[in-house]
Coordinates of all heavy atoms in Angstrom, one line a residue:
M1 N 0.9 -1.2 0.0 CA 0.0 0.0 0.0 C 0.9 1.3 0.0 O 1.8 1.4 0.8 CB -0.9 0.0 1.2 CG -1.8 1.2 1.4 SD -2.8 1.2 2.8 CE -4.2 0.3 2.0
L2 N 0.6 2.1 -0.9 CA 1.3 3.4 -0.9 C 0.8 4.5 -0.1 O -0.5 4.6 0.1 CB 1.5 4.0 -2.4 CG 2.1 3.0 -3.4 CD1 2.0 3.6 -4.8 CD2 3.6 2.9 -3.1
Y3 N 1.5 5.3 0.5 CA 1.1 6.4 1.4 C 1.5 7.7 0.7 O 2.7 7.9 0.4 CB 1.8 6.2 2.8 CG 1.5 7.4 3.7 CD1 0.2 7.5 4.2 CD2 2.4 8.3 4.0 CE1 -0.1 8.5 5.1 CE2 2.1 9.4 4.9 CZ 0.8 9.4 5.5 OH 0.5 10.5 6.3
N4 N 0.5 8.5 0.6 CA 0.8 9.8 -0.1 C 0.5 10.9 0.9 O -0.6 11.2 1.3 CB -0.1 10.0 -1.3 CG 0.1 11.2 -2.0 OD1 0.7 12.2 -1.6 ND2 -0.3 11.3 -3.3
K5 N 1.5 11.5 1.4 CA 1.3 12.6 2.4 C 0.6 13.8 1.9 O 0.1 14.6 2.7 CB 2.8 13.1 2.9 CG 3.4 12.0 3.8 CD 4.8 12.5 4.3 CE 5.5 11.4 5.0 NZ 6.8 12.0 5.5
D6 N 0.5 14.1 0.6 CA -0.1 15.2 0.1 C -1.7 15.1 0.1 O -2.4 16.0 -0.1 CB 0.3 15.3 -1.4 CG 1.8 15.7 -1.5 OD1 2.4 16.4 -0.6 OD2 2.5 15.3 -2.5
V7 N -2.1 13.9 0.2 CA -3.6 13.7 0.3 C -4.1 13.8 1.7 O -3.7 13.3 2.6 CB -4.0 12.2 -0.2 CG1 -5.5 11.9 -0.1 CG2 -3.6 12.0 -1.7
R8 N -5.1 14.7 1.7 CA -5.8 15.0 3.1 C -7.3 14.6 2.9 O -7.9 14.9 1.9 CB -5.8 16.6 3.3 CG -4.4 17.1 3.3 CD -3.6 16.7 4.6 NE -2.3 17.4 4.6 CZ -1.3 16.9 5.4 NH1 -1.5 15.9 6.2 NH2 -0.3 17.5 5.4
I9 N -7.8 14.1 4.1 CA -9.3 13.9 4.1 C -9.8 14.5 5.3 O -9.1 14.8 6.3 CB -9.5 12.3 4.1 CG1 -9.1 11.6 5.4 CG2 -8.9 11.6 2.9 CD1 -9.4 10.1 5.4
S10 N -11.1 14.8 5.2 CA -11.8 15.6 6.3 C -12.2 14.6 7.4 O -12.1 13.4 7.4 CB -13.1 16.1 5.7 OG -14.0 15.2 5.5
T11 N -12.5 15.3 8.5 CA -13.0 14.5 9.7 C -14.2 13.8 9.4 O -14.4 12.7 10.1 CB -13.1 15.5 11.0 OG1 -13.9 16.6 10.6 CG2 -11.7 16.0 11.4
D12 N -15.1 14.4 8.6 CA -16.3 13.7 8.3 C -16.0 12.3 7.5 O -16.5 11.3 7.7 CB -17.2 14.5 7.3 CG -17.7 15.7 8.1 OD1 -17.9 15.6 9.3 OD2 -18.2 16.7 7.4
E13 N -15.0 12.3 6.6 CA -14.6 11.2 5.9 C -13.9 10.1 6.9 O -14.2 9.0 6.7 CB -13.6 11.6 4.8 CG -14.3 12.3 3.7 CD -13.2 12.9 2.7 OE1 -12.2 13.5 3.2 OE2 -13.5 12.8 1.6
I14 N -13.2 10.6 7.8 CA -12.6 9.6 8.8 C -13.7 9.1 9.7 O -13.7 7.9 9.9 CB -11.6 10.5 9.8 CG1 -10.3 10.9 9.1 CG2 -11.3 9.7 11.0 CD1 -9.4 9.8 8.8
E15 N -14.7 9.8 10.0 CA -15.8 9.4 10.8 C -16.5 8.3 10.0 O -16.9 7.2 10.6 CB -16.8 10.4 11.3 CG -16.2 11.3 12.4 CD -17.1 12.5 12.8 OE1 -18.4 12.2 12.8 OE2 -16.7 13.4 13.3
A16 N -16.8 8.4 8.8 CA -17.5 7.6 7.9 C -16.6 6.3 7.8 O -17.2 5.1 7.8 CB -17.9 8.1 6.6
L17 N -15.4 6.4 7.6 CA -14.5 5.1 7.5 C -14.4 4.5 8.8 O -14.4 3.2 8.8 CB -13.2 5.5 7.0 CG -13.0 6.1 5.5 CD1 -11.6 6.6 5.3 CD2 -13.2 4.8 4.6
G18 N -14.5 5.2 9.9 CA -14.5 4.5 11.2 C -15.8 3.6 11.5 O -15.8 2.7 12.2
V19 N -16.9 4.1 10.9 CA -18.2 3.4 11.0 C -18.0 2.1 10.1 O -18.4 0.9 10.7 CB -19.3 4.3 10.6 CG1 -20.6 3.3 10.5 CG2 -19.6 5.4 11.6
L20 N -17.4 2.2 9.1 CA -17.2 1.0 8.2 C -16.2 0.1 8.7 O -16.3 -1.1 8.5 CB -16.8 1.5 6.7 CG -18.0 2.1 5.9 CD1 -17.4 2.8 4.6 CD2 -19.1 1.3 5.6
Y21 N -15.1 0.6 9.2 CA -14.0 -0.2 9.6 C -13.6 0.1 11.1 O -12.5 0.8 11.4 CB -12.8 0.1 8.8 CG -13.0 -0.2 7.3 CD1 -13.3 0.9 6.5 CD2 -13.1 -1.5 6.9 CE1 -13.6 0.6 5.1 CE2 -13.3 -1.7 5.6 CZ -13.5 -0.7 4.6 OH -13.8 -1.0 3.3
P22 N -14.5 -0.2 12.1 CA -14.2 0.2 13.5 C -12.8 -0.3 14.1 O -12.3 0.4 14.9 CB -15.4 -0.4 14.2 CG -15.9 -1.4 13.4 CD -15.6 -1.0 11.9
S23 N -12.4 -1.4 13.6 CA -11.1 -1.9 14.2 C -9.9 -1.1 13.7 O -8.8 -1.3 14.2 CB -11.0 -3.4 13.9 OG -10.7 -3.6 12.6
Y24 N -10.0 -0.3 12.7 CA -9.0 0.5 12.2 C -9.1 2.0 12.6 O -8.3 2.8 12.1 CB -9.0 0.5 10.6 CG -8.8 -0.8 10.0 CD1 -9.3 -1.2 8.8 CD2 -8.1 -1.9 10.7 CE1 -9.0 -2.3 8.2 CE2 -7.9 -3.1 10.1 CZ -8.4 -3.4 8.8 OH -8.1 -4.6 8.3
R25 N -10.1 2.4 13.5 CA -10.2 3.8 13.8 C -9.0 4.5 14.4 O -8.5 5.6 13.9 CB -11.4 3.9 14.8 CG -12.6 3.9 14.3 CD -13.7 4.2 15.4 NE -15.1 4.1 14.9 CZ -16.0 3.4 15.5 NH1 -15.7 3.1 16.9 NH2 -17.2 3.3 15.1
W26 N -8.3 3.8 15.4 CA -7.2 4.4 16.0 C -6.0 4.6 15.0 O -5.3 5.6 14.9 CB -6.7 3.6 17.2 CG -5.6 4.2 17.9 CD1 -4.3 3.7 18.0 CD2 -5.5 5.4 18.6 NE1 -3.5 4.5 18.6 CE2 -4.3 5.6 19.1 CE3 -6.5 6.5 18.8 CZ2 -3.8 6.8 19.9 CZ3 -6.1 7.7 19.5 CH2 -4.8 7.7 20.0
W27 N -5.9 3.6 14.2 CA -4.8 3.6 13.2 C -5.1 4.8 12.1 O -4.1 5.4 11.8 CB -4.7 2.2 12.4 CG -3.9 2.2 11.2 CD1 -2.5 2.3 11.2 CD2 -4.3 2.3 9.8 NE1 -2.2 2.3 9.9 CE2 -3.2 2.2 9.1 CE3 -5.7 2.2 9.2 CZ2 -3.3 2.2 7.7 CZ3 -5.7 2.2 7.9 CH2 -4.5 2.2 7.1
M28 N -6.4 4.9 11.8 CA -6.5 6.0 10.8 C -6.3 7.3 11.4 O -6.0 8.3 10.6 CB -8.1 5.9 10.3 CG -8.3 4.8 9.3 SD -9.9 4.9 8.6 CE -10.9 4.2 9.9
V29 N -6.6 7.6 12.7 CA -6.4 8.8 13.3 C -5.0 9.1 13.7 O -4.5 10.3 13.5 CB -7.4 9.0 14.5 CG1 -7.2 10.2 15.3 CG2 -8.9 8.9 14.1
S30 N -4.4 8.1 14.2 CA -3.0 8.3 14.8 C -1.9 7.7 14.1 O -0.7 8.0 14.3 CB -2.9 7.8 16.3 OG -3.0 6.3 16.2
G31 N -2.2 6.6 13.2 CA -1.1 5.9 12.5 C -0.6 4.8 13.5 O 0.4 4.1 13.0
E32 N -1.1 4.6 14.7 CA -0.6 3.7 15.6 C -1.7 2.6 15.7 O -2.8 2.7 15.4 CB -0.4 4.2 16.9 CG 0.6 5.4 17.0 CD 0.7 6.0 18.3 OE1 -0.2 5.8 19.2 OE2 1.5 6.9 18.5
I33 N -1.2 1.3 16.1 CA -2.2 0.2 16.4 C -2.1 -0.1 17.9 O -1.1 0.2 18.5 CB -1.8 -1.0 15.6 CG1 -0.4 -1.6 15.9 CG2 -2.0 -0.7 14.1 CD1 -0.1 -2.9 15.3
A34 N -3.2 -0.7 18.3 CA -3.3 -1.2 19.7 C -4.0 -2.6 19.7 O -5.2 -2.5 20.0 CB -4.1 -0.1 20.6
P35 N -3.3 -3.6 19.3 CA -4.1 -4.9 19.2 C -4.7 -5.4 20.4 O -5.6 -6.1 20.3 CB -3.0 -5.9 18.6 CG -1.7 -5.1 18.5 CD -2.0 -3.7 18.8
E36 N -4.2 -5.0 21.5 CA -4.7 -5.4 22.8 C -6.0 -4.9 23.1 O -6.8 -5.5 23.8 CB -3.8 -5.0 24.0 CG -3.6 -3.5 24.3 CD -2.6 -2.8 23.2 OE1 -2.0 -3.4 22.4 OE2 -2.4 -1.6 23.6
I37 N -6.5 -3.9 22.4 CA -7.8 -3.5 22.6 C -8.6 -3.5 21.2 O -9.7 -2.9 20.9 CB -7.9 -1.9 23.0 CG1 -7.2 -1.0 22.2 CG2 -7.4 -1.9 24.5 CD1 -7.4 0.5 22.5
G38 N -8.1 -4.3 20.3 CA -8.7 -4.6 19.0 C -8.6 -3.5 18.0 O -9.4 -3.5 17.0
Q39 N -7.6 -2.7 18.0 CA -7.3 -1.6 17.1 C -6.1 -2.1 16.3 O -5.0 -1.9 16.8 CB -7.1 -0.2 17.8 CG -8.4 0.2 18.4 CD -9.5 0.6 17.4 OE1 -9.3 1.4 16.4 NE2 -10.6 -0.1 17.5
T40 N -6.3 -2.4 15.0 CA -5.3 -2.9 14.2 C -5.1 -1.9 13.0 O -5.7 -0.9 12.8 CB -5.4 -4.3 13.8 OG1 -6.6 -4.4 13.1 CG2 -5.4 -5.1 15.1
S41 N -4.5 -2.4 12.0 CA -4.4 -1.8 10.7 C -4.4 -3.0 9.6 O -4.2 -4.1 9.8 CB -3.0 -1.1 10.4 OG -1.9 -2.1 10.3
P42 N -4.7 -2.5 8.4 CA -4.7 -3.6 7.3 C -3.4 -4.4 7.2 O -3.4 -5.5 7.0 CB -5.0 -2.8 6.0 CG -5.7 -1.5 6.5 CD -5.1 -1.2 7.8
E43 N -2.4 -3.7 7.3 CA -1.0 -4.4 7.2 C -0.8 -5.4 8.4 O -0.3 -6.5 8.2 CB 0.1 -3.4 7.2 CG 0.2 -2.5 5.9 CD -0.7 -1.3 6.0 OE1 -1.4 -1.1 7.0 OE2 -0.9 -0.7 4.9
F44 N -1.3 -5.0 9.5 CA -1.1 -5.8 10.7 C -2.0 -7.1 10.6 O -1.6 -8.1 10.8 CB -1.5 -5.0 12.0 CG -1.5 -5.9 13.3 CD1 -0.3 -5.8 14.0 CD2 -2.6 -6.5 13.7 CE1 -0.3 -6.5 15.2 CE2 -2.5 -7.2 14.9 CZ -1.3 -7.3 15.6
D45 N -3.2 -6.8 10.1 CA -4.1 -8.0 9.9 C -3.5 -8.9 8.9 O -3.7 -10.2 9.1 CB -5.4 -7.5 9.5 CG -6.2 -6.8 10.7 OD1 -5.7 -6.9 11.8 OD2 -7.2 -6.2 10.5
E46 N -3.0 -8.4 7.8 CA -2.4 -9.2 6.8 C -1.2 -10.1 7.3 O -1.1 -11.2 7.0 CB -2.0 -8.4 5.5 CG -1.4 -9.3 4.4 CD -1.1 -8.5 3.2 OE1 -1.5 -7.2 3.1 OE2 -0.6 -9.0 2.3
A47 N -0.3 -9.4 8.0 CA 0.7 -10.2 8.6 C 0.4 -11.2 9.5 O 0.8 -12.4 9.5 CB 1.7 -9.2 9.4
N48 N -0.7 -11.0 10.3 CA -1.2 -12.0 11.2 C -1.7 -13.1 10.4 O -1.6 -14.3 10.8 CB -2.2 -11.5 12.2 CG -1.7 -10.9 13.4 OD1 -0.3 -11.1 13.6 ND2 -2.3 -10.1 14.2
R49 N -2.4 -12.9 9.3 CA -3.1 -13.9 8.4 C -1.8 -14.8 7.9 O -2.0 -16.0 7.8 CB -3.8 -13.4 7.3 CG -5.3 -13.1 7.8 CD -6.1 -12.7 6.5 NE -5.7 -11.6 5.7 CZ -6.0 -10.4 6.0 NH1 -6.7 -10.1 7.1 NH2 -5.5 -9.5 5.3
N50 N -0.8 -14.2 7.5 CA 0.3 -14.9 6.9 C 1.1 -15.7 7.9 O 1.5 -16.8 7.5 CB 1.2 -14.0 6.2 CG 0.7 -13.4 5.0 OD1 -0.3 -13.9 4.3 ND2 1.1 -12.2 4.5
L51 N 1.1 -15.2 9.2 CA 1.7 -15.9 10.2 C 0.9 -17.2 10.6 O 1.5 -18.3 10.9 CB 2.0 -15.1 11.5 CG 3.0 -14.1 11.5 CD1 3.0 -13.3 12.7 CD2 4.3 -14.7 11.4
A52 N -0.4 -17.0 10.5 CA -1.3 -18.2 10.9 C -1.2 -19.2 9.8 O -1.5 -20.4 10.0 CB -2.7 -17.7 11.1
N53 N -0.9 -18.9 8.5 CA -0.8 -19.8 7.4 C 0.5 -19.5 6.7 O 0.6 -18.8 5.8 CB -2.0 -19.4 6.5 CG -2.0 -20.4 5.3 OD1 -1.3 -21.4 5.2 ND2 -2.9 -20.2 4.3
P54 N 1.5 -20.2 7.1 CA 2.9 -20.1 6.7 C 3.1 -20.2 5.2 O 4.0 -19.7 4.6 CB 3.7 -21.2 7.4 CG 2.9 -21.6 8.5 CD 1.4 -21.3 8.1
N55 N 2.1 -21.0 4.4 CA 2.3 -21.2 3.0 C 1.4 -20.1 2.3 O 1.3 -20.2 1.1 CB 1.7 -22.5 2.7 CG 2.4 -23.7 3.2 OD1 3.6 -23.6 3.3 ND2 1.7 -24.7 3.7
A56 N 1.1 -19.0 2.9 CA 0.3 -17.9 2.3 C 1.2 -17.1 1.4 O 0.7 -16.3 0.6 CB -0.4 -17.0 3.4
G57 N 2.5 -17.2 1.5 CA 3.3 -16.4 0.5 C 3.8 -15.1 1.2 O 4.1 -14.2 0.7

């Protein structure tokens, strides 16, 4: 996933995304994850899937 620092989104858009993806709210706002309270990121979730299935590539 590419990250473009020039792209800005509004707080309304963040709120809407938070409703769609509640486990990614903290990551979207702060860039940090807190798996102990269920706050992850897409990259974190993908890495965990790959660890659970070593043949996933």
